[in-house]
Amino acid sequence: AILALRPVTSSMRRLEQFTGDAGHELRTPLSSIRLNAQVALAQDRRPEDFRRHLTAIASQAERSTRLAESLLLLARLDRREEVPMETVNLTDIWPDLSTAFAGRLAASELTLQTPSGELTVKADRGLLTIALDNLIDNAVRYSPPKGTIAITMQSAGGRAIIAVTDQGPGIPPTALPHIWDRFYRADASRSRDSGGNGLGLAIVHNAVEAMHGRVAVTSEVGRGSTFSIILPTGTTDVRSDTMIVTS
């Protein structure tokens, strides 16, 4: 009976941990919203004071919205529903991603390199775009100013490999097995300060898995990381697991 209950017990613990982490993440922006609202309403303020507090409130509200949307997406992926697969030409995706990140890239003087060739994959275009968006977001967040983020693609053995490489600080070997976990941060303070919620890589993993693909990462501390999405180019399924290689 004890052996039979172990999976249930483990599942309940993960649920409790997830609920606690989600509550903690939401409490921080909500507390900031409340504090700024209270200060703004406490007494007569100058127009610039109201603007400063309203800007803070808007920023934290946006952070809460992103977190809520991420949680809803993960909940949908957890249901393991079959996603509609289609032939997606990767060439059609790069312009949209470049446009979406243009402002942030310019602000840090970053260069985003995208592939010039053509390659098609079997995927859900929406989920694939979300996965790539999270990988590029992660690369922008940790890349040094004036750095380069390179997206490459290749096909081999009926599989397409899409890789996003940054020149960031890299990931310690001890952290690599946990990076796909929800709310995990290899550098908690830095991620929180930069606006991360610890769900981006979990979304990438689950989205790619839903498309019968897998994810991989190679990283070297001090030199950067490469995150790869591996998807079928035809009807052949790719085993859904995580390959971790460290340098």
Side-chain angles (χ1 to χ4, degrees):
I2 293 175
L3 290 175
L5 285 173
R6 279 182 182 175
V8 177
T9 303
S10 176
S11 178
M12 289 298 295
R13 286 175 180 169
R14 287 196 301 270
L15 178 59
E16 289 173 0
Q17 180 68 40
F18 178 74
T19 303
D21 288 340
H24 178 75
E25 291 295 328
L26 281 170
R27 182 173 58 188
T28 301
L30 291 177
S31 295
S32 177
I33 290 171
R34 182 178 61 186
L35 177 61
N36 278 280
Q38 289 173 341
V39 172
L41 294 171
Q43 55 187 343
D44 292 337
R45 318 291 288 185
R46 294 174 299 176
E48 55 267 29
D49 291 333
F50 280 111
R51 178 175 295 276
R52 176 164 53 86
H53 290 298
L54 288 173
T55 299
I57 289 172
S59 175
Q60 295 301 320
E62 182 180 353
R63 177 179 173 181
S64 300
T65 299
R66 290 198 305 268
L67 176 58
E69 290 174 346
S70 295
L71 290 171
L72 288 171
L73 176 58
L74 283 169
R76 179 165 67 89
L77 293 171
D78 280 345
R79 290 197 291 269
R80 303 290 180 180
E81 297 175 354
E82 190 67 25
V83 299
M85 304 284 279
E86 60 178 324
T87 299
V88 179
N89 190 333
L90 294 175
T91 307
D92 298 334
I93 292 181
W94 311 137
D96 291 340
L97 289 173
S98 297
T99 300
F101 286 93
R104 291 176 60 191
L105 291 167
S108 298
E109 298 183 68
L110 293 170
T111 299
L112 178 64
Q113 298 177 346
T114 56
S116 57
E118 289 199 5
L119 182 63
T120 60
V121 295
K122 288 293 185 180
D124 177 284
R125 177 166 179 154
L127 283 182
L128 178 56
T129 301
I130 288 172
L132 288 168
D133 183 274
N134 276 282
L135 288 184
I136 298 172
D137 176 81
N138 194 66
V140 171
R141 196 181 303 279
Y142 291 107
S143 290
K146 300 183 180 180
T148 298
I149 300 168
I151 303 175
T152 60
M153 62 184 187
Q154 59 179 306
S155 61
R159 302 182 299 177
I161 304 171
I162 311 163
V164 178
T165 301
D166 63 57
Q167 297 173 327
I171 304 168
T174 55
L176 280 173
H178 309 289
I179 61 172
W180 310 107
D181 297 344
R182 300 171 189 190
F183 296 112
Y184 180 80
R185 296 181 176 92
D187 185 345
S189 60
R190 180 172 180 179
S191 295
R192 197 169 274 113
D193 290 342
S194 60
N197 57 30
L199 293 176
L201 293 181
I203 288 174
V204 172
H205 182 277
N206 286 24
V208 173
E209 191 175 63
M211 295 183 290
H212 311 295
R214 62 186 179 102
V215 290
V217 58
T218 63
S219 188
E220 184 176 353
V221 174
R223 300 194 64 176
S225 305
T226 296
F227 290 88
S228 300
I229 293 174
I230 304 168
L231 291 169
T233 55
T235 57
T236 303
D237 285 346
V238 180
R239 186 167 55 90
S240 178
D241 62 3
T242 303
M243 177 180 66
I244 298 176
V245 182
T246 59
S247 300

